[in-house]
Each structure stands twice: as structure tokens, then as C-alpha cells.
Amino acid sequence: NSRDVTALGIWVSFAVTSISLLSGIWEESISFRADWAFLITKTSASVMLLFSLSCWATLQMKWLHHDTPTFAITMERMLHAILPLSSAAVMTYCMASVIALNTDMKEAVASLFPLAFAALFSLGIGTHGALISSFRSVPPSQDETRESGSPAKLSDVSGAIAIPDGRCLSLVLVFLPPLSHVMTFRHRLLYAYASWDDWLELMLALTTPYMLHYLLILLDKIWWKSSLPII
């Protein structure tokens, strides 16, 4: 029927667009002599963003909520888990590209890239972490523990982001920006005459994501904090 055709059309469009993006990696690497790791990361973030948009478009079909509620809940959680990461990566790349093309500050942009990503990513986590699932009515703070005192199961938690997804988002926020900085400036940091500015930038890349994550915990935007390791 028409509703199935509409849903199929959304995901066929996603598949076609994703394939076109993936097929452009080889051509772009030849034309611009770009780094393969950079191209794969950029394309993966774009595909993830398209996947999030496809999930959102599919969830607008109300019949899906009644016919396949489990599938709808899974799709909603994937949407809220992927969107903060993909949108932060794409937005940071666009900002860095504009600044690098219009100014002669490519080295400064490379240093600020992990910090800008951490700021946008933490904003996305704070926004989506506070959301309640459309399929639940109990706030996460009340749903973590039942009246009997036993811990709530994963299926009972009412947050739009599930506990395992939230834990992964927290770990990515804390560790990905400093790892990106180290990989970008590894030759300079290992150089015997590395300056104090190089080590200061490294300390900023190490501490800024952690402080942003801690700020989200203080603001009670990360309700899965009880399941996090000490980071």
C-alpha cells in the first residue's frame, strides 16, 4: 500500500545518497590529494547524519508506532544516539573548512577543531540527554528505580537515549577530541624541540572535553551518570 511505499522510498533515497557519497571518496582523494582517514571520517559522519534524518522521517509515520512499536522505539533511540555525534562532526567540519578557506589560519583551525567538536557534541548530548522517549511517560529520574527498590531494566528506562548508548556518547566526548589532537600533531609532540605552546594545546584538548562532560553531569543533563566508569 501507499504507506509502505513511502517508508521504502525514504530508505531507498538514503541508500542511493549514501552510495553516491561513498563512491565520491576515491575521486576526491585523487582530485584533492586528501588524506584517506580524513575522507572516510567526513563521509561516515555525513552518512550517519543522513541515517538520522531517515529515522526521523520514518518516525513521522504514526502507523509505525501502532503496528511495530518495538521497531519504532529502537529507531527513536538510534536517532537520539547518532544525531549528536554526526551533527557535531558535520558542523565542525563545515566551520573549519570555511575558516581555513577564507583565512591563513589552517594550523590554528587544526588546533581548535577538537575543541569546537567537543563543544558542539556536548551541546547535542545535553539537548538529547534531557529528552523523554515518545513511547514513555515516566521521567528517567523516577524510572531508574522501581517502588520495590530494584533497579529498572533497560526496557523500563524512559529516556530517549538508552543507557549503553549514553555511556558510549560520554566516552566518545571525553576521549575522541584528545585522540584527534594527538593524531594530528603527533610528529610535533614527539619532536625533541616541541614548544610549550604545543603542550598547552594538548592539555586543553585533554581537559576541555572532560570539563564539558562534568558540566553536563552538574546540570543533570546526563541521567545515565550512575552507570558510567570514573572518568
Side-chain angles (χ1 to χ4, degrees), residues 142-153 156:
Q142 299 178 13
D143 200 30
E144 289 181 356
T145 305
R146 298 181 178 182
E147 294 181 358
S148 60
S150 60
K153 297 180 180 179
D156 298 327

Side-chain angles (χ1 to χ4, degrees), residues 26-61:
W26 175 256
E27 297 179 0
E28 190 173 355
S29 64
I30 296 176
S31 302
F32 301 99
R33 297 180 180 179
D35 183 32
W36 271 95
F38 170 75
L39 288 176
I40 292 174
T41 303
K42 183 191 71 172
T43 306
S44 301
S46 301
V47 171
M48 290 169 61
L49 184 59
L50 288 173
F51 179 80
S52 302
L53 295 175
S54 300
C55 288
W56 176 85
T58 306
L59 287 171
Q60 304 312 303
M61 304 175 183

Side-chain angles (χ1 to χ4, degrees), residues 2 25 73 101 159 170 176 178 182 217 223:
S2 60
I25 292 180
I73 292 173
L101 289 174
S170 295
L176 183 59
V182 170
I217 293 178
W223 63 270

Side-chain angles (χ1 to χ4, degrees), residues 1 87 119 123 179 186:
N1 51 25
S87 59
L123 180 62
L179 285 176
R186 60 186 182 278

